[in-house]
Amino acid sequence: MTARAAVALLALVLASPGCGRSTRSSPTGPSPDGPWTGTWSGTVADPANGTGTIRLTIDDYRIDATRSFFVGTWTTSFGEVSRNAAGTLAGGTTGGTGVLTLTPVPVPPCATPPPFPGAVGSYTAPALTLDGDTIRGSYQFGTCTSAVPGTIELRR
């Protein structure tokens, strides 16, 4: 799902009657005003790719005082240029914990379907720590044959 599609879907849900919001004659839709909105840069490291740099551009949409969801884009850069990738991101937060999935565009092909959920070349981080201007934690990087553990640390 693209960032634009996710935002359109959220706007439709929030504007629907019975979703806890009043119906207005001209709804404006949500805006990315959450605390994680912005550009984040840092390091990413795992045995499949080595250590590289990563850059995220996040649009964070608040659900309430402690929860939000976000969408955006990402790029990675490694010493071995063939490992570089880019794509879309989706995730969310509850308090100081976040989940994040980075999906490459296009998804690299494999001869057989991978034995794990998620796209080949994707980064799945199920429990990131979000603290002020720092996001850090571990992830699983999807290869054609397995999910490889790694770490990520980002700063605004």
Side-chain angles (χ1 to χ4, degrees):
M1 177 183 302
T2 66
R4 180 170 281 149
V7 171
L9 178 60
L10 179 66
L12 179 63
V13 169
L14 292 177
S16 298
C19 289
R21 295 189 74 156
S22 63
T23 304
R24 296 187 258 181
S25 59
S26 59
T28 59
S31 63
D33 61 356
W36 310 107
T37 292
T39 302
W40 297 79
S41 299
T43 59
V44 61
D46 61 65
N49 296 308
T51 300
T53 60
I54 186 165
R55 179 182 168 111
L56 307 180
T57 302
I58 297 174
D59 288 330
D60 181 16
Y61 296 87
R62 282 206 170 273
I63 296 169
D64 58 30
T66 62
R67 298 178 301 152
S68 65
F69 81 92
F70 40 79
V71 293
T73 59
W74 62 274
T75 58
T76 55
S77 179
F78 294 95
E80 185 178 325
V81 178
S82 67
R83 303 271 186 214
N84 296 350
T88 60
L89 68 85
T93 64
T94 300
T97 302
V99 297
L100 184 63
T101 300
L102 309 177
T103 305
V105 176
V107 173
C110 286
T112 60
F116 58 91
V120 172
S122 67
Y123 296 82
T124 303
L128 295 171
T129 301
L130 303 111
D131 183 25
D133 288 337
T134 304
I135 299 174
R136 69 171 58 98
S138 59
Y139 62 83
Q140 296 289 316
F141 176 75
T143 70
C144 289
T145 58
S146 66
V148 178
T151 59
I152 186 169
E153 183 165 338
L154 301 159
R155 295 198 184 278
R156 197 175 338 220

